[in-house]
Amino acid sequence: MKRFFVFVATIAITMFFSACSSTKQSAEAAYAAGNPFGDVYEMPAAEYDTDDSFGATGTAYGPRAQMGTVHINALTNAQEIVRQKIKHSYKGVVDTYSKSVGNNMGTDIQNKIERAGTQVIDAVVNDTKESQVKYSSVDEKGNVYCYVGIRINKEKLADEVAKAVAKAVTDEEEVKIGFNEAKFREQNADVFKRSIEKK
């Protein structure tokens, strides 16, 4: 009986080390073949940033009976992703403009410029329409995934932000900081366009 247990234990240990060895070999083979990540997939309805537009893809998961709500949640998720990208880029716009006018913008004026731009960004993002919508098949729980892609034109956004900022800056402040709407719009578009290079 003791010999039987030793025999079984030996087989189990051999199988364990063989399995580890084969897993290691298959990982090494994948790496050697130039594929260290294994199988990878692109998200459905994928939208990426380009020189001309910000893109994002939102996802949501929920019951097939509430596909409308799942769709809205996926759209909201995409909007939040693109909103964060744009706000980060817009902070760069304000910083760039501040430097170009000699760092003489006061905190109140800088806050006013940031606030005016942020309000427009929120309005534009909230009004986004989908560029793509895809659903998964219904899973065993009766749920589906929804994927929503959105896209926002950088130049159009830059123009709308510049108009709002020009309206928010009073004549007195304009003189004080040397505000130039055309220059601000140009730098706006330039920083938004270059934002893709920093990702």
Side-chain angles (χ1 to χ4, degrees):
M1 190 68 161
K2 188 176 180 182
R3 282 185 185 170
F4 176 74
F5 283 122
V6 170
F7 176 72
V8 169
T10 305
I11 289 176
I13 290 169
T14 304
M15 288 174 63
F16 173 76
F17 283 115
S18 294
C20 290
S21 172
S22 87
T23 302
K24 184 179 177 187
Q25 286 173 352
S26 59
E28 287 172 357
Y31 186 78
N35 186 9
F37 304 109
D39 292 334
V40 294
Y41 303 94
E42 182 176 45
M43 181 182 288
E47 292 287 355
Y48 304 105
D49 292 351
T50 67
D51 286 341
D52 301 319
S53 60
F54 289 104
T57 302
T59 63
Y61 176 73
R64 178 186 60 179
Q66 297 176 2
M67 285 173 72
T69 302
V70 176
H71 183 168
I72 290 167
N73 290 343
L75 173 60
T76 303
N77 179 237
Q79 288 172 330
E80 189 52 36
I81 292 168
V82 85
R83 179 181 283 110
Q84 292 309 314
K85 289 182 188 181
I86 295 170
K87 284 187 176 177
H88 176 75
S89 295
Y90 183 61
K91 180 80 172 83
V93 169
V94 176
D95 291 346
T96 299
Y97 189 77
S98 177
K99 287 174 188 159
S100 77
V101 295
N103 285 323
N104 59 349
M105 279 201 293
T107 304
D108 290 345
I109 297 170
Q110 187 155 345
N111 287 342
K112 187 180 276 193
I113 288 174
E114 283 186 26
R115 192 167 45 250
T118 299
Q119 287 172 347
V120 171
I121 289 165
D122 285 337
V124 168
V125 171
N126 290 340
D127 195 38
T128 319
K129 305 296 183 283
E130 306 97 336
S131 53
Q132 295 188 66
V133 178
K134 293 187 179 176
Y135 289 93
S136 70
S137 55
V138 181
D139 68 14
E140 65 281 353
K141 296 177 182 175
N143 293 334
V144 294
Y145 281 96
C146 179
Y147 306 90
V148 173
I150 64 172
R151 185 159 295 290
I152 294 176
N153 183 281
K154 291 180 179 180
E155 193 170 335
K156 185 177 174 193
L157 178 65
D159 283 346
E160 291 188 36
V161 168
K163 284 178 197 166
V165 169
K167 198 180 281 188
V169 177
T170 66
D171 291 341
E172 183 183 321
E173 289 167 340
E174 216 169 296
V175 171
K176 183 178 175 184
I177 66 170
F179 182 76
N180 181 313
E181 185 183 345
K183 185 174 183 181
F184 185 75
R185 180 181 283 116
E186 186 183 320
Q187 288 185 347
N188 224 351
D190 188 50
V191 174
F192 281 162
K193 194 160 274 204
R194 286 186 289 110
S195 63
I196 190 173
E197 297 165 11
K198 296 179 181 176
K199 303 241 183 296

